[in-house]
Amino acid sequence: MSTTTTFKRVALIAVAALGLGLLSVAPSNASVAADTLTVTDGTQSVGDTVTATSATATISFLPSDSTNDSMTITASLVSGPAANTLFPRLVLAETTSAMVNTTTPVASAEAIGQDYAAYDAVGIKGRAAAVTSAKFTVFIGSSMSSGVVTAGTYVVRITPAAQPTAGTAVAKDITIVVTAATQSSSKSTAQMSAGTTDPTDTTDLVAVVAANTAKTLATDAAANIEVTQLKSSGAAANESITAVITGPGTIGGGPTQAGAASAGRSITVGTNGSGVAFINVFGDGTSGTATITLTGVTSGTVLGTKTVLFSSTTIATLTATAVNPVVATSGTSKSSSSTTGPISVVAKDKDGYQIYQPALYVSSASTSVISDAYTAGACSWSATDLVSYCAVTPVAAGTANITVGNRASATATTPTTAVTSNAVAIRVGSTTAASMKLTTDKASYLPGEKITLTLAILDSTGLAVAGSADNTTYANVFATGGITSDYAFYTGSDTLTAVFAQLSPKTGLKTWTLFAPLQSAELTMTAIPGTSFPVAYQTANALGLTAKISVGNSAGVDAATDAANEATDAANAATDAALAAADAADAATAAAEDASAAVATLAKSVNTALASLKKQITALTALVNKLLKK
């Protein structure tokens, strides 16, 4: 065998060996790398499960084989209070390139929020050959809805394990400190109602007006406050409450309203075991504003602040206001409700404090129009609005001045001092529609701008008809289709398709909120009168009554647009001129190049001619010299 052949074979063997070496760089047994376990301590309150202050555990690793490599973590209880019977739990909080499940092997991913019991081997598997991590919150409890019940310090051990071969991450301990139950100010509530009625979300009052008469029994409470303590988890808290009243009055507290007799001005109140406590408020014979502040004894959390205005029962002043100045002889516009009551009245004592639920009597100066004469029971107290609303008894069209007093008749001698309110004018109007008007609050609007469309219905004398809180008094104001528009209004606009009109008892008007179209337009709204109007009026307005508006940009915007357009035109003209100049420059350049070529050609011809002439002169000189030699 030649030396050359030997060298070739050795080289071939070396190359083959190198290739095999490159093909076998992977380890013979796949395993996780860079595996770490990171933990944080946490706190809980009795009853909590997962909160913002929960402990956490995060496992992270790099799989060399994403098909087979995985890790598990297990939570176990190392120590806790002597009375504790519960274990730690894990809740999946977030993942990165990971599937988490308790199945072996991990084949699917469970959702964020899934919880796992103590001693469960929770598997974490990579979705790809990339850094894989899973974060868990750690709490003491029996389930996601049932938290820790014993206060104290807990030590929880988180133990990681890698498959198929061991990793380097080691077990770590977490400390969770559980404190006595506290309440969350954002979820706890303190609701108040007048008297002994149980308050609710819809009847809760910030302030109550009550008689200052001294009382002590729970059945005589001027107001009662129901406190419901809730922690951030939503579970009930049972922290004791410090209740303090400043100003006049006293308070009492207990787990029930009926058991909360007057007990003083600063008291401590326990709950009923489900986070609920009641505080009753009582008069003590003095007038003024009382403020009741409720605070958690341990946490210091302010659960609520309420106000009760105590006054005497002796009226010193009465102030009347026309709330619904036009009433009808039928319908609901003359009742004493807060919606339709024609008159509101505020009664105050000699110190200027408002009187709770005063006894009032309504009288009319024109009984042929409104027949009330010292009418009793016409006024109803509104604990929400803190006024009395008074009804009237209309009998004929016209206007009457109405007063409200504190005596039952003109000859009554009690109360000692007669008090009469200011007079307010109430008109008895018609509910028979004769004509109508459609108006807008402006003539022109920007695109998308709010539009207020107003309907006024008039009687045969041209006066506004009485308002109505129902849909039947003016049931067919419009023909089928309601009010139409030749442009669609923008999103959020009220619908205009109803044929009835519910006129406000307070204003006698119906209003709609609309939003202008986004494009510029001359917009017309049309309303064809319906059968609520006389036939003659319907016939005369068969094509409909209209309200017209302009929709467009403001003058400034239009001017700016025009200026921008002019600037664009000028820029275009300048561009055209620049292009023309460029063309001329190109033509001049071409001409110059042509001239240069011509000059070059001429120079070449001249040089050729000169060379030829030079040759001729040389030849001639030689000939002359030759002749001279002869």
Side-chain angles (χ1 to χ4, degrees):
M1 181 183 299
S2 68
T3 303
T4 302
T5 302
T6 300
F7 283 151
K8 287 181 179 180
R9 290 184 176 181
V10 170
L12 181 60
I13 292 170
V15 170
L18 180 61
L20 291 173
L22 291 174
L23 290 173
S24 60
V25 293
S28 59
N29 291 315
S31 62
V32 302
D35 51 320
T36 59
L37 173 65
T38 305
V39 298
T40 61
D41 295 336
T43 61
Q44 284 180 246
S45 293
V46 169
D48 281 346
T49 55
V50 176
T51 69
T53 57
S54 292
T56 64
T58 303
I59 188 73
S60 176
F61 63 94
L62 176 63
S64 61
D65 179 357
S66 60
T67 302
N68 298 309
D69 291 350
S70 65
M71 293 194 72
T72 62
I73 64 170
T74 304
S76 59
L77 183 65
V78 176
S79 62
N84 173 62
T85 59
L86 301 179
F87 292 89
R89 298 186 72 87
L90 301 176
V91 179
L92 182 60
E94 58 186 69
T95 62
T96 301
S97 188
M99 295 187 294
V100 178
N101 208 316
T102 54
T103 59
T104 302
V106 176
S108 61
E110 291 186 306
I112 299 297
Q114 177 65 43
D115 72 312
Y116 305 95
Y119 305 103
D120 279 351
V122 182
I124 304 99
K125 180 181 176 182
R127 293 181 181 272
V131 174
T132 299
S133 67
K135 181 178 181 180
F136 300 83
T137 50
V138 186
F139 73 96
I140 307 297
S142 58
S143 69
M144 283 292 289
S145 59
S146 181
V148 62
V149 297
T150 305
T153 300
Y154 295 75
V155 177
V156 176
R157 180 161 297 158
I158 305 297
T159 304
Q163 293 84 30
T165 58
T168 59
V170 297
K172 293 185 178 180
D173 289 346
I174 294 173
T175 299
I176 300 175
V177 177
V178 178
T179 57
T182 59
Q183 63 292 313
S184 166
S185 59
S186 62
K187 289 192 175 181
S188 296
T189 59
Q191 298 170 331
M192 181 171 69
S193 67
T196 60
T197 303
D198 190 19
T200 64
D201 289 341
T202 56
T203 62
D204 177 39
L205 300 174
V206 175
V208 166
V209 177
N212 64 12
T213 308
K215 300 287 185 179
T216 59
L217 299 179
T219 53
D220 295 324
N224 80 95
I225 305 167
E226 181 179 1
V227 178
T228 302
Q229 295 185 47
L230 295 174
K231 297 182 294 177
S232 58
S233 64
N238 289 288
E239 181 182 14
S240 295
I241 301 166
T242 297
V244 178
I245 185 170
T246 58
T250 62
I251 51 177
T256 64
Q257 187 280 324
S262 176
R265 293 176 54 81
S266 179
I267 61 175
T268 300
V269 183
T271 71
N272 63 358
S274 298
V276 177
F278 289 85
I279 294 88
N280 285 335
V281 186
F282 303 89
D284 64 0
T286 57
S287 297
T289 300
T291 301
I292 301 93
T293 304
L294 309 169
T295 309
V297 169
T298 304
S299 67
T301 299
V302 177
L303 299 168
T305 301
K306 299 293 185 178
T307 300
V308 176
L309 175 59
F310 288 108
S311 63
S312 74
T313 57
T314 302
I315 297 173
T317 63
L318 290 169
T319 302
T321 302
V323 179
N324 299 326
V326 181
V327 299
T329 55
S330 62
T332 57
S333 63
K334 61 181 186 296
S335 74
S336 61
S337 75
S338 60
T339 303
T340 60
I343 301 169
S344 68
V345 181
V346 174
K348 293 185 177 181
D349 64 15
K350 64 181 179 60
D351 296 317
Y353 294 112
Q354 193 170 353
I355 295 175
Y356 168 81
Q357 205 163 357
L360 301 174
Y361 304 88
V362 176
S363 297
S364 168
S366 301
T367 54
S368 61
V369 176
I370 293 176
S371 62
D372 295 286
Y374 296 95
T375 301
C379 301
S380 297
W381 170 256
S382 170
T384 302
D385 296 344
L386 302 182
V387 297
S388 295
Y389 289 102
C390 300
V392 296
T393 308
V395 291
T399 300
N401 287 328
I402 308 299
T403 57
V404 179
N406 65 339
R407 285 185 171 179
S409 69
T411 58
T413 58
T414 57
T416 304
T417 302
V419 179
T420 302
S421 74
N422 56 298
V424 293
I426 301 296
R427 180 170 66 85
V428 178
S430 172
T431 55
T432 302
S435 62
M436 66 177 176
K437 294 180 181 178
L438 274 181
T439 58
T440 55
D441 56 327
K442 294 198 304 181
S444 61
Y445 300 86
L446 296 175
E449 186 178 0
K450 178 183 175 181
I451 302 168
T452 300
L453 176 65
T454 301
L455 167 70
I457 299 178
L458 309 178
D459 63 17
S460 59
T461 65
L463 295 174
V465 296
S468 175
D470 57 62
N471 298 333
T472 57
T473 303
Y474 307 104
N476 294 285
V477 172
F478 307 117
T480 301
I483 301 173
T484 60
S485 170
D486 49 8
Y487 283 88
F489 292 103
Y490 190 55
T491 302
S493 299
D494 292 339
T495 58
L496 302 173
T497 54
V499 298
F500 64 84
Q502 187 181 90
L503 305 184
S504 166
K506 291 180 170 62
T507 64
L509 304 172
K510 167 64 179 176
T511 61
W512 294 268
T513 296
L514 310 169
F515 295 93
L518 297 185
Q519 72 272 29
S520 297
E522 296 297 320
L523 186 150
T524 300
M525 289 168 278
T526 304
I528 299 175
T531 56
S532 291
F533 294 95
V535 174
Y537 186 76
Q538 296 178 56
T539 302
N541 296 279
L543 298 179
L545 287 84
T546 60
K548 298 183 178 183
I549 60 172
S550 296
V551 178
N553 292 322
S554 66
V557 173
D558 288 338
T561 301
D562 292 340
N565 290 334
E566 291 175 1
T568 301
D569 292 340
N572 290 335
T575 301
D576 292 341
L579 292 174
D583 291 341
D586 290 341
T589 300
E593 290 174 347
D594 290 343
S596 177
V599 169
T601 301
L602 178 61
K604 183 177 181 182
S605 298
V606 170
N607 289 334
T608 301
L610 288 174
S612 177
L613 179 61
K614 183 177 179 181
K615 287 180 180 180
Q616 292 178 6
I617 291 172
T618 301
L620 180 61
T621 300
L623 178 61
V624 169
N625 290 333
K626 185 177 180 181
L627 290 175
L628 290 175
K629 288 179 179 181
K630 289 181 178 184

